[in-house]
C-alpha cells in the first residue's frame, strides 16, 4: 500500500508541476528544477510496483507534456515580420516585405473596422494573406496569431473587401494603349496576331457545411460541390476580367453569354476599332476561348471537325500552345492562394469576395515579378480535380470562319500573307 501511495504521489506531483510550468512559467524554470524530477523518477523506479512497460508509458507521457507545443505569444507577428527572410515572406504571405507594406498602405483607408480587439490593420492583412495562402483552417491560423477563430473570419472578410477597392487599378478591361501593347506581346510570345487575351475557367471547391438551400445547383460534372471562376488573361498571365459566383452545375457557355463582357463584345464596345489586314481580310481584335464557349467575330476557338487539312491542324496546334496562357495563369493563381483548392476558410456568401481578392493579389504579384515555386503548383494541382467542361458548338455570324481561315493562312506563311 505504501508503494502505491508513493507512486501516486510522485505522479500527481509531476503532473501538477508540469501544468503550472506550462501555464505560468518559462522553460528555464523546468531546467532549474530538473534535478527534482530526476530524484522523483529514481524514487519511482525503486519503490513503485509498476512494471517496466507501464513505467515507460508514464514517463513518455510526461515527457510529451513537457515538449508539447505552446501557444504563440500575442506579439508573435510583431517579432516575426522583422526576422523573416525573403523566402519566408514568400512562403507565408506569397509576396516580399516591400510589396506587403505597399499593399497595407493602399488598402488601409478602405477598412471598415480599423481595430479588432487591438489587432492592427497590418496584422489583420497578414492573417488574411496567410490564411488564403496556406488554405489552413481558421482555428489553425488563429492559434498562430493568438486570435480567436471568429475574429479570423471577420478579418478575412474585411481584408478581401478592402482589396476589392484596388480592382480599377489592377484588374480592368485594358484601354486602347494597353490593348495595343497586349496584342504586341501576345503575338511575340504566343504567335497569334490581333489577340488580346485568353478566356477560361476553373472550379473552386466548396465544403458541404458551407452550402445554401439550393445546394444541388453547385454539383459539377464530378459530382462535387464547386463555384465557377471565369477569367481572361493577357500574355503575361494577368487577369483583366473575371466573372465569379456561378454554381458549378452551370455550363461555362451560359456564364459567358450572361456576362456584361459578352454584351459589350457583341455590341462592339469592348475593344477599340483596331483592324489588321491578314490575307485580304480585316481582322478585328479578338480573344481565344476553349471548346466550351460559343464563337463570335471577337471570340475564336479551335477547329472541332476531324478535317485532314494541314491548315486546320496547324491552327489547332498554335491554338493549344497559346491556350497555355490561361492554364498557366490559373495554376499560378491556385499555387499562390491555396484557399482556392479547399474552399473552407469562409462561408459561401463571402467566397466570391475572397476569389476576387485572390485574383487582384495574383496580378499584384505578377506585376512585381514575385516567384511561384514548382512545389506550390504541384501541391495545388493534387488537391482538387477540375471537372471536364461541357462542349459548346454555337457560332455567331460567318465572320468567325473567315477570321480563322485567314489566320490559318498566316500561320502557313506569315511573311508573305500579312497585309501592309
Amino acid at each position: 500500500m505504501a508503494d502505491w501511495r508513493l507512486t501516486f504521489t510522485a505522479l500527481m506531483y509531476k503532473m501538477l508541476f508540469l501544468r503550472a510550468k506550462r501555464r505560468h512559467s518559462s522553460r528555464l524554470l523546468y531546467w532549474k528544477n530538473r534535478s527534482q524530477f530526476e530524484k522523483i523518477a529514481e524514487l519511482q523506479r525503486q519503490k513503485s510496483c509498476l512494471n517496466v512497460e507501464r513505467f515507460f508509458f508514464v514517463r513518455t507521457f510526461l515527457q510529451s507534456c513537457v515538449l508539447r507545443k505552446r501557444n504563440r505569444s500575442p506579439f508573435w507577428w510583431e517579432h516575426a515580420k522583422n526576422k523573416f527572410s525573403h523566402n519566408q515572406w514568400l512562403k507565408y504571405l506569397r509576396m516580399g516585405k516591400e510589396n506587403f507594406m505597399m499593399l497595407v498602405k493602399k488598402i488601409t483607408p478602405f477598412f471598415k473596422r480599423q481595430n479588432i480587439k487591438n489587432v492592427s490593420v497590418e496584422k489583420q492583412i497578414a492573417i488574411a494573406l496567410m490564411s488564403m495562402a496556406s488554405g489552413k483552417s481558421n482555428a489553425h491560423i488563429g492559434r498562430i496569431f493568438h486570435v480567436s477563430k471568429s475574429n479570423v473570419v471577420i478579418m478575412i472578410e474585411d481584408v478581401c473587401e478592402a482589396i476589392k477597392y484596388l480592382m480599377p487599378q489592377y484588374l480592368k478591361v485594358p484601354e486602347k494603349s494597353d490593348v495595343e501593347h497586349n496584342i504586341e506581346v501576345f503575338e511575340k510570345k504566343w504567335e497569334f496576331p490581333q489577340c488580346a487575351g485568353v478566356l477560361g475557367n476553373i472550379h473552386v471547391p466548396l465544403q458541404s457545411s458551407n452550402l445554401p438551400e439550393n445546394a444541388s445547383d453547385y454539383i459539377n460534372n464530378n459530382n462535387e460541390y464547386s463555384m465557377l471562376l471565369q477569367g481572361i488573361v493577357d500574355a503575361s498571365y494577368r487577369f483583366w476580367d473575371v466573372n465569379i459566383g456561378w454554381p458549378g452545375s452551370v455550363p461555362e457557355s451560359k456564364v459567358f453569354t450572361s456576362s456584361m463582357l459578352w454584351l459589350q463584345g457583341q455590341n462592339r464596345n469592348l475593344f477599340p476599332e483596331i483592324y489588321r489586314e491578314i490575307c485580304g481580310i480585316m481582322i478585328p481584335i479578338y480573344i481565344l476561348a476553349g471548346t466550351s464557349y460559343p464563337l463570335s467575330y471577337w471570340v475564336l476557338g479551335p477547329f472541332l471537325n476531324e478535317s485532314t487539312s494541314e491548315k486546320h491542324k496547324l491552327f489547332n496546334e498554335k491554338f493549344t500552345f497559346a491556350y497555355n496562357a490561361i492554364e498557366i495563369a490559373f495554376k499560378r493563381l491556385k499555387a499562390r492562394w491555396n484557399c482556392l483548392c479547399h474552399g473552407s476558410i469562409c462561408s459561401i456568401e463571402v467566397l466570391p469576395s475572397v476569389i476576387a481578392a485572390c485574383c487582384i493579389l495574383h496580378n499584384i504579384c505578377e506585376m512585381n515579378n514575385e516567384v511561384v515555386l514548382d512545389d506550390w503548383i504541384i501541391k495545388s494541382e493534387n488537391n482538387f480535380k477540375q471537372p471536364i467542361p461541357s462542349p459548346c458548338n454555337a457560332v455567331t455570324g460567318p465572320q468567325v470562319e473567315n477570321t480563322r481561315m485567314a489566320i490559318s493562312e498566316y500561320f502557313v506563311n506569315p511573311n508573305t500573307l500579312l497585309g501592309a
Side-chain angles (χ1 to χ4, degrees):
M1 180 64 67
D3 291 343
W4 178 85
R5 289 179 179 177
L6 181 61
T7 302
F8 181 80
T9 302
L11 290 174
M12 290 300 297
Y13 180 84
K14 285 185 180 182
M15 294 297 295
L16 291 174
F17 189 91
L18 288 173
R19 184 179 180 184
K21 180 202 78 67
R22 293 199 308 273
R23 288 188 174 181
H24 309 292
S25 306
S26 64
R27 290 183 177 274
L28 183 62
L29 179 62
Y30 169 73
W31 292 109
K32 284 183 178 179
N33 295 274
R34 184 178 179 182
S35 59
Q36 296 182 21
F37 282 115
E38 293 176 350
K39 290 180 181 179
I40 294 174
E42 181 64 23
L43 181 64
Q44 186 179 20
R45 283 192 293 270
Q46 294 176 0
K47 300 296 184 178
S48 178
C49 61
L50 298 175
N51 56 34
V52 177
E53 291 78 12
R54 292 181 63 189
F55 175 76
F56 177 79
F57 172 80
V58 173
R59 186 182 65 179
T60 304
F61 172 75
L62 293 175
Q63 289 177 348
S64 67
C65 293
V66 175
L67 299 176
R68 184 178 297 168
K69 186 176 181 180
R70 302 173 64 186
N71 290 333
R72 295 188 187 272
S73 165
F75 305 103
W76 172 80
W77 166 249
E78 285 72 12
H79 296 297
K81 68 177 182 179
N82 296 322
K83 297 181 180 180
F84 274 174
S85 65
H86 183 68
N87 289 337
Q88 287 175 315
W89 277 97
L90 291 178
K91 176 181 178 181
Y92 295 116
L93 301 172
R94 295 305 195 252
M95 61 178 64
K97 185 175 182 179
E98 296 78 10
N99 290 327
F100 175 78
M101 293 304 175
M102 177 272 295
L103 178 67
V104 172
K105 183 179 179 180
K106 286 194 173 184
I107 69 174
T108 296
F110 303 111
F111 265 75
K112 298 178 182 178
R113 291 174 281 249
Q114 292 290 334
N115 287 289
I116 300 178
K117 291 189 177 181
N118 298 323
V119 179
S120 65
V121 171
E122 178 188 292
K123 188 173 180 178
Q124 293 182 50
I125 297 172
I127 290 172
L129 262 61
M130 187 175 289
S131 178
M132 294 157 65
S134 65
K136 300 291 185 180
S137 66
N138 296 327
H140 176 83
I141 301 299
R143 285 193 294 269
I144 294 177
F145 286 88
H146 207 273
V147 297
S148 66
K149 174 183 175 181
S150 58
N151 280 338
V152 173
V153 175
I154 295 173
M155 293 173 192
I156 292 173
E157 182 176 358
D158 287 353
V159 171
C160 291
E161 287 295 329
I163 291 174
K164 286 169 61 179
Y165 282 95
L166 302 181
M167 186 173 290
Q169 181 178 355
Y170 291 102
L171 202 161
K172 61 179 180 178
V173 177
E175 299 176 356
K176 182 177 180 179
S177 59
D178 297 325
V179 170
E180 293 174 344
H181 176 72
N182 289 346
I183 291 173
E184 181 181 351
V185 175
F186 205 96
E187 183 174 7
K188 182 178 180 181
K189 189 172 183 178
W190 302 105
E191 302 180 6
F192 264 85
Q194 284 290 90
C195 183
V198 185
L199 171 68
N201 71 86
I202 60 170
H203 288 251
V204 178
L206 300 174
Q207 298 295 323
S208 57
S209 59
N210 292 337
L211 295 176
E213 294 181 357
N214 58 334
S216 59
D217 294 341
Y218 290 86
I219 300 178
N220 57 39
N221 294 339
N222 288 350
N223 291 323
E224 296 176 317
Y225 296 102
S226 65
M227 179 181 291
L228 272 167
L229 162 59
Q230 187 171 274
I232 304 178
V233 299
D234 59 19
S236 301
Y237 318 126
R238 295 195 293 260
F239 293 93
W240 56 261
D241 183 81
V242 292
N243 193 342
I244 304 166
W246 286 82
S249 64
V250 180
E252 291 81 355
S253 58
K254 182 178 180 181
V255 176
F256 183 44
T257 55
S258 300
S259 66
M260 183 61 66
L261 186 77
W262 171 264
L263 182 61
Q264 290 177 337
Q266 293 299 98
N267 292 336
R268 301 180 184 271
N269 295 325
L270 181 61
F271 297 122
E273 295 292 327
I274 300 176
Y275 291 86
R276 185 175 180 182
E277 184 180 352
I278 300 177
C279 302
I281 297 177
M282 301 303 293
I283 305 298
I285 300 173
Y286 60 85
I287 63 173
L288 299 179
T291 57
S292 58
Y293 292 100
L295 304 182
S296 183
Y297 82 96
W298 64 282
V299 183
L300 299 186
F303 291 100
L304 298 181
N305 55 4
E306 298 181 0
S307 173
T308 58
S309 172
E310 294 298 327
K311 294 179 182 179
H312 290 187
K313 289 182 179 180
L314 181 59
F315 181 92
N316 286 351
E317 289 177 3
K318 297 288 187 179
F319 176 89
T320 302
F321 175 67
Y323 199 76
N324 281 325
I326 187 67
E327 294 181 347
I328 293 173
F330 278 133
K331 286 183 179 180
R332 294 167 74 92
L333 174 70
K334 293 185 294 180
R336 283 193 173 104
W337 313 112
N338 269 214
C339 65
L340 301 181
C341 304
H342 300 281
S344 59
I345 69 168
C346 62
S347 64
I348 193 171
E349 292 80 13
V350 181
L351 185 57
S353 294
V354 174
I355 298 174
C358 289
C359 294
I360 296 170
L361 292 171
H362 166 85
N363 283 1
I364 293 175
C365 292
E366 291 294 333
M367 291 178 182
N368 292 281
N369 298 318
E370 295 287 8
V371 177
V372 177
L373 300 182
D374 292 338
D375 292 343
W376 301 352
I377 296 177
I378 295 173
K379 180 181 178 181
S380 64
E381 290 299 308
N382 292 335
N383 285 331
F384 179 76
K385 183 180 179 182
Q386 292 292 323
I388 299 175
S390 304
C392 177
N393 297 321
V395 179
T396 305
Q399 192 173 357
V400 177
E401 294 302 324
N402 296 334
T403 301
R404 287 199 297 185
M405 291 304 300
I407 296 176
S408 299
E409 294 286 348
Y410 167 74
F411 287 147
V412 173
N413 197 337
N415 295 323
T416 60
L417 296 176
L418 183 62

